Amino acid sequence: MSFIQELKERSQTTNRKIVFPEGNDPRILRAARIVKDQEIATPIILGKEKELWAINVDPIKGISDFLIVDPAESEEYEEFYHKYYEMRKDKGVSLEKAKDLLKDPLYFSAMMVKNGFADGSVAGAANTTANVLRPALQIIGTASGVSVVSGTFIMLIDTPHVPRDMLIFADCAVNPQPDAQQLAEIAVSSARTARSITGLNPSVALLSFSTKGSAQHPLIDKVVEACRIARKMEPDIGIDGELQADAAIVPNIGERKAPNSKVAGKANVLIFPDLQSANISYKLVERLANITVIGPILQGMEKPVNDLSRGCSVEDIVNLTAITVLQADQVSQSSSGKTKEESEVQVESKS
Ligand code: ACO
């Protein structure tokens, strides 16, 4: 079974509600139809019913079986803008501003997730990453023990000379210039995402343009320091750096450049030193190697919100929804008191 099929099947066992703030985008309505018909989740669509009917992506079923919410007309609108005002008044937000912002589906959906009306949210088909992230960061915030939200991509590899079928890239989406502490957190969060969503046994490489002191520069020092902090945070996970990309993933190069490293040559979670290198790398790999990428999967949020690329396909939306469902399931298992190990989804371990 393909990894994507497996994701969908796992999400079908859960029964989660996912809110789609961008109901006016036809791709969202098409994806929501698949999500509902395949029982991946119960979709909640934000928008005006009349406008959504006008888009009419499904002439047979239409949208009559969707739960549709118009933020400004909803029963929760007043409660939500008051809550937002209380949360943000110390940051200078007025009640008038709160009233305005909560008419915005991205703010309203974050409030729905925060208050348990939905288990997660998927947006970004029609909005920039920053616009999707800001309300989520302000309203939902980070999970306990986490200070940095970041974004990973699952890269599904189909190239004979790379001896693995999947790599995780991070942070390709959120933090323009993480410091050493933030980079360490990104490494640890990505290892956890790798394990829980993909079943990988994480082997984490902190990437640089140097391998084990082959070059000297303050930028390399940051990566070395991040590696030290990450190892302290998660001593049971294989984490190493600084490593060049070839030393990280190609076994004979890893052996030559970093002979004492348990990660070199075997890394499956690649942590880039900043957003420019990460974002450029994932897009180049996607386009040049013509491989399937899934993400960005936002990690570190108290409840899941995921961000699509504006160039996304219907299939991308369905896949990210399945992941959002699995993340929501984990949140609920963790809050019901299960241990980290128990709540991590059990899937066949891949190297
Ligand atoms: N983790 C946790 N909290 C954060 C983070 C983070 N990474 N970033 C910001 N916050 C917090 C802020 O501290 C702030 O908290 P507060 O208001 O309660 O004090 C809150 O979130 C809101 O922050 P803002 O100041 O409103 O937003 P900011 O200007 O910090 O921007 C943002 C945050 C939007 C994520 C910004 O860092 C950004 O634009 N990142 C780049 C996104 C991007 O363009 N990615 C590339 C494209 S994605 C792709 O190609 C797949």
Side-chain angles (χ1 to χ4, degrees), residues 303-321:
K303 291 183 175 180
V305 170
N306 275 310
D307 171 46
L308 297 155
S309 158
R310 279 169 295 163
C312 66
S313 64
V314 171
E315 199 187 342
D316 293 333
I317 302 170
V318 174
N319 295 343
L320 201 58
T321 304

Side-chain angles (χ1 to χ4, degrees), residues 88 91 129-130 133-134 137 147-149 173-175 279 283:
R88 304 293 296 175
K91 302 263 172 190
T129 298
L133 279 172
R134 207 166 274 119
L137 291 170
S147 72
V148 176
V149 169
V174 185
N175 301 279
N279 191 273
K283 285 186 191 290

Side-chain angles (χ1 to χ4, degrees), residues 16 29 104 113 122 160 181 188 210 225 250 263 267 273 278 297 333:
R16 300 281 162 198
L29 290 184
D104 178 337
V113 174
V122 174
Q181 175 68 36
V188 169
S210 161
E225 174 64 359
V250 183
V263 169
I297 302 166
Q333 286 176 355

Side-chain angles (χ1 to χ4, degrees), residues 84 87-88 91 107 128-139 141-142 146-151 153 171-177 182 185-186 275 279-280 282-283 295-296 298-301 307-310:
Y84 182 78
M87 289 168 79
R88 304 293 296 175
K91 302 263 172 190
Y107 280 79
T128 62
T129 298
N131 285 347
V132 172
L133 279 172
R134 207 166 274 119
L137 291 170
Q138 289 179 7
I139 294 170
T142 53
V146 177
S147 72
V148 176
V149 169
S150 54
F153 276 88
D171 164 20
C172 308
V174 185
N175 301 279
Q177 235 167 348
Q182 290 171 326
E185 273 200 38
I186 291 166
L275 184 55
N279 191 273
I280 292 166
Y282 106 77
K283 285 186 191 290
L298 294 181
Q299 51 192 15
M301 206 83 84
D307 171 46
L308 297 155
S309 158
R310 279 169 295 163

